[in-house]
Amino acid sequence: MQNEFIHHKLGKLYLEDVDWQTDEASVPFCKTPVEVCLAGGSETGPSQAALSGYDWIESHWQKVLVLMQDQAFDFYEPYADAVASVPVIDTPTQLWGTESILNVRVFAKDDFSVTMRFTWQEDEDPHEVTFYVEDGKCEVHSVDG
């Protein structure tokens, strides 16, 4: 059994069940290191679908944001209604630039999730928001914390 895999961009990944992950990867779409998981692999390495999915996400990050923006705005609107200090954002595209990416989990280029926090969330708010892209569409998000 192999316990590490070297990815050409992410560096060293470790095996966790059937997922290959790194806790701090430098990725071009984020200013700070993030956790990346290439899901659904085997003992020998990540699946080809997860590998090519990550490459697609990295090279099409602006499209990824477009896929998630309506769900992100669905999270923002009730938050802004409940918290007076939240800045006014009128359109979903205005949310981008206020996010902090925490992790990316990839099964394939049309099946992945991205977890983030937003700068306008209150300091004492521990919630992280995960956006799920399935079959190339993001129609759901969850709030954890």
Side-chain angles (χ1 to χ4, degrees):
M1 180 174 104
Q2 182 179 334
N3 59 5
E4 72 178 45
F5 178 86
I6 305 299
H7 185 271
H8 65 285
K9 293 181 180 178
L10 298 172
K12 192 182 299 185
L13 305 174
Y14 64 90
L15 181 62
E16 182 75 30
D17 294 322
V18 294
D19 298 337
W20 288 89
Q21 57 190 53
T22 180
D23 297 329
E24 290 192 346
S26 294
V27 295
F29 52 86
C30 191
K31 295 175 189 168
T32 59
V34 298
E35 183 179 307
V36 177
C37 175
L38 301 180
S42 69
E43 291 181 353
T44 59
S47 70
Q48 189 56 47
L51 288 167
S52 61
Y54 174 78
D55 288 341
W56 183 87
I57 289 166
E58 184 179 283
S59 63
H60 293 88
W61 185 249
Q62 292 306 311
K63 288 181 181 181
V64 170
L65 293 178
V66 170
L67 288 172
M68 297 183 305
Q69 71 189 13
D70 289 340
Q71 285 295 312
F73 203 65
D74 285 351
F75 171 71
Y76 165 80
E77 288 182 306
Y79 199 101
D81 289 343
V83 181
S85 64
V86 172
V88 175
I89 295 175
D90 296 317
T91 65
T93 57
Q94 291 175 323
L95 286 169
W96 304 127
T98 69
E99 79 280 2
S100 176
I101 308 300
L102 302 174
N103 70 59
V104 177
R105 180 179 171 93
V106 183
F107 288 94
K109 81 175 206 175
D110 63 349
D111 188 5
F112 59 89
S113 64
V114 178
T115 301
M116 61 182 73
R117 284 185 44 81
F118 293 92
T119 57
W120 40 261
Q121 286 180 249
E122 293 184 297
D123 290 341
E124 61 274 0
D125 177 0
H127 292 101
E128 299 174 353
V129 187
T130 302
F131 300 95
Y132 299 94
V133 174
E134 297 172 347
D135 296 324
K137 297 177 185 163
C138 183
E139 298 179 334
V140 69
H141 69 275
S142 67
V143 180
D144 305 314

